[in-house]
Amino acid sequence: MSSEMNVSVPLPQTTPPLVMIRALGLIAAICGLIIVSAYQGTYDAVQENKRIAVERAVFKVIPTAKSIVEYWALPDGQIEKVGAGGAAQQGAIKFYAGYDERDALAGIAAEGAAKGYADSVRILFAYDPGQQAITGFGVVSSRETPGIGDKIVTDKAFLANFPLDAKVSNDSLANEIRAVKNGSKTSPWQVDAIAGATITSRAVAKAINDTAQALVPRLATHLDKLKDKP
Amino acid sequence: MHESVWQIFINAFLANNFVLAMFLGLCPFIGVSGKLETAVPMGAATTFVMLVASLCAYGLNLILGALGLEFLRLIAYIVIIASAVQLVEMVLKKYSPGLFRALGIYLPLITTNCAVLGVALFQTAREYDFAQSLMFAVGAGAGFTLAIVLMASVRERLQLSDVPSVAQGTALSLMLAGVLSLAFMGFAGLGG
Amino acid sequence: MSKTDRWDEFMEGVWRQNPIFVMVLGLCPALAVTVSAVNAISMGIATTFVLTCSCVLVSLLRKLIPKEVRIATYIVIIATFVTVVDYLIQAVSLALYDALGAFIQLIVVNCIILGRAEAHASKNSPLPALINALGMSLGFTLGLFALGAVREILGAGSLFGIALFGGSFQPWVVMVLPPGGFFVLGLWLLLFAALERRKQRKALEVAQHA
């Protein structure tokens, strides 16, 4: 640290450099000590909080789930438990397998993100392998306009879009999940946009589509393995 | 989610303008927007420092990530920004005295401009790659310059108009900023 | 140092030198996170922690810090405590952490803190530095609360998340959007300027009568 700090320091005028370096070294040591102890002291609580937050979000989109297991879906079509050695590869998608009280697969949840009206809208959606459909979603973070864009989670007509068809054909979804103008939904893979919040509705559809296109085909061959809680 | 560099630029420049939509860099925005002739160099100096800070932060983040020292990120960023500002100041003084005279007094102020640290922190949080980080810094700097120049132009005009004396000063500047911010909301969704 | 001196030192930051309404410093967090009263108070508490800890540490080390490198040292000390508060908030509540966003880390460039470290803590012993820092923090927190409360009441029709008006209330959404922040702070400053103006006029009248 001290070498970085010295860059910002002009040549000494009155204090000898050695004294200055000693003082800076001492202060850097004190600060380092404080930061490391704070990091260590809060580490467990922070990890626990993050776990609870993930669980709560997943249980919301998969209502029957009672426990979850985190997986990576790798680009070569394999799946791997998170934390089971191998680090995340480029292009790997994280997903959560939710299990009910009898440890049977209740659904699969994954995150998606797309540009909304104000900033990116990050959502968590649930995929039901039995129905081959997207059954619902929850917002992870969004800065959409209160009272307009945030209707995506309250508007009954919008929520009635689900389940969305997500059948697989070859290596992608059979039909692209996309938003259509309010009142013009004709197929089970289309999202009927909220009138007045078209951009946000489109972001939700795009976020689901982007992740589902890559993730759902990779899951197809592993459903037997995922069926029961490991 | 992949954003093209143009989307990032437009978003940082207009739709999510650093000053008017994200509330970053308000101190110079209110403090140095009295005259156009100071607003323009301030914007230019800030853009330049943002670019340097963004590059440094990108490199630093790679090093910290490789060493597993993420918890030192904030302290490392702020030290490197302060150092970068000082370095820029010294280089300018030596090689371009004219430019130094124009920007010099603003450079120390920029160290504590939260927009600069904001660029570094946001590009890390959004996991931008090198080109994206660069474009983000340019867009943010251009957005800051646009906001401060617009504000200075309006305030120069206001000096000639009849305003209730009690409202003069910061209160009026803030109201103006509110109106500008309202106008910038019209850009939302542009970078979709 | 007598009791009244301490009280004066404390009230300096709360009222006469209020960081938000009088000195107009630290505006970025003041406007960005004050969409609700809870966020405003949380931000106030986080800033209080950083400000008091940094000022006490700077004051303790003041004889040790060479004056050529003092600013760099202050920034490092402040950044340390900001990192600490960042982890503490994550440990307490992730929802709060998400609501405050990048502005927790941006406390580090809040000019109030560097200003206090430079102007007060570096010249005084720990106790006055602590009192002064606490006063400033309270002033800052009150300022944030004044902004957050007004914006939440007008923009969402509630205070601390409790609905204040009946179901027929149509929230004034612009108040929780960015322009609302500028407007509400502008109006508060206008109010203080008008009060100050009236006080001056009264004082003038008294002086003329005498």
Side-chain angles (χ1 to χ4, degrees), chain C:
Chain C
M1 195 163 152
S2 73
K3 225 175 192 162
T4 49
D5 279 351
R6 279 185 201 160
W7 182 246
D8 261 10
E9 184 94 57
F10 182 70
M11 288 311 284
E12 175 93 8
V14 179
W15 191 247
R16 277 190 309 279
Q17 291 285 320
N18 186 291
I20 292 189
F21 295 129
V22 181
M23 300 203 290
V24 203
L25 285 176
L27 288 187
C28 304
L31 292 177
V33 302
T34 53
V35 291
S36 73
V38 175
N39 283 4
I41 292 203
S42 316
M43 188 68 193
I45 293 172
T47 311
T48 303
F49 176 83
V50 176
L51 183 57
T52 44
C53 291
S54 318
C55 279
V56 169
L57 191 61
V58 164
S59 168
L60 282 172
L61 296 173
R62 70 185 186 283
K63 296 209 176 81
L64 221 104
I65 299 173
K67 66 174 188 303
E68 291 89 346
V69 292
R70 61 183 199 286
I71 300 289
T73 319
Y74 300 158
I75 289 181
V76 170
I77 290 176
I78 294 168
T80 302
F81 286 111
V82 173
T83 311
V84 171
V85 93
D86 189 77
Y87 283 115
L88 284 180
I89 293 182
Q90 281 189 55
V92 172
S93 159
L94 274 182
L96 187 61
Y97 185 75
D98 287 338
L100 298 179
F103 282 91
I104 301 170
Q105 304 207 322
L106 286 172
I107 294 176
V108 86
V109 281
N110 189 328
C111 6
I112 299 168
I113 301 175
L114 192 61
R116 279 298 96 189
E118 162 78 2
H120 195 278
S122 62
K123 300 188 186 90
N124 290 283
S125 53
L127 186 66
L130 175 72
I131 292 170
N132 184 278
L134 280 175
M136 274 289 158
S137 308
L138 185 64
F140 185 67
T141 310
L142 282 178
L144 288 186
F145 176 70
L147 281 170
V150 169
R151 287 179 74 184
E152 193 181 342
I153 291 170
L154 295 178
S158 60
L159 189 61
F160 293 111
I162 303 158
L164 294 178
F165 309 106
S168 61
F169 176 75
Q170 192 64 37
W172 203 1
V173 175
V174 75
M175 283 303 159
V176 290
L177 295 177
F182 289 112
F183 286 138
V184 173
L185 182 58
L187 287 173
W188 273 114
L189 288 180
L190 207 58
L191 180 72
F192 280 106
L195 286 177
E196 186 64 23
R197 179 67 57 94
R198 224 174 68 177
K199 212 167 91 187
Q200 278 172 4
R201 212 168 35 225
K202 282 241 173 80
L204 201 67
E205 275 169 23
V206 171
Q208 276 168 353
H209 281 295

Side-chain angles (χ1 to χ4, degrees), chain B residues 2-39:
Chain B
H2 188 79
E3 284 179 275
S4 78
V5 287
W6 287 109
Q7 278 176 355
I8 290 174
F9 178 78
I10 292 292
N11 274 324
F13 181 45
L14 294 173
N16 283 317
N17 185 284
F18 256 50
V19 180
L20 296 168
M22 318 244 295
F23 297 117
L24 293 167
L26 287 181
C27 295
F29 175 67
I30 300 288
V32 197
S33 62
K35 284 200 210 87
L36 254 183
E37 59 193 71
T38 53

Side-chain angles (χ1 to χ4, degrees), chain A residues 13-206:
Chain A
Q13 310 282 310
T14 53
T15 319
L18 206 66
V19 174
M20 220 145 56
I21 290 172
R22 211 173 53 199
L24 282 178
L26 179 73
I27 285 155
I30 296 176
C31 292
L33 203 69
I34 296 175
I35 290 186
V36 171
S37 46
Y39 178 70
Q40 293 293 346
T42 55
Y43 186 81
D44 289 340
V46 172
Q47 294 307 320
E48 178 68 9
N49 264 345
K50 283 189 176 154
R51 195 183 58 78
I52 292 172
V54 165
E55 268 185 3
R56 202 175 287 159
V58 173
F59 292 168
K60 212 160 147 197
V61 292
I62 314 174
T64 51
K66 289 284 175 286
S67 63
I68 55 173
V69 180
E70 294 180 32
Y71 285 99
W72 290 109
L74 304 176
D76 60 5
Q78 295 302 309
I79 60 169
E80 183 180 89
K81 256 208 219 171
V82 169
Q89 287 179 35
Q90 190 77 30
I93 301 170
K94 196 184 218 180
F95 67 92
Y96 308 96
Y99 295 94
D100 61 17
E101 66 266 29
R102 292 192 312 279
D103 286 347
L105 186 64
I108 284 164
E111 260 191 38
K115 178 91 190 97
Y117 192 71
D119 207 340
S120 65
V121 180
R122 285 176 57 213
I123 59 155
L124 186 80
F125 64 88
Y127 169 73
D128 182 346
Q131 283 184 60
Q132 297 196 342
I134 308 293
T135 49
F137 79 102
V139 173
V140 178
S141 74
S142 100
R143 282 184 50 216
E144 299 305 283
T145 321
I148 304 170
D150 63 1
K151 268 198 240 159
I152 48 172
V153 283
T154 51
D155 192 278
K156 287 214 171 57
F158 187 72
L159 295 177
N161 277 310
F162 296 90
L164 286 169
D165 177 90
K167 287 192 180 65
V168 180
S169 121
N170 297 328
D171 267 350
S172 59
L173 295 185
N175 302 288
E176 187 193 352
I177 293 168
R178 53 181 305 178
V180 293
K181 232 177 104 197
N182 181 264
S184 62
K185 171 169 170 152
T186 51
S187 320
W189 54 83
Q190 289 175 332
V191 175
D192 197 8
I194 302 172
T198 315
I199 295 176
T200 314
S201 312
R202 211 185 286 154
V204 172
K206 189 168 182 304

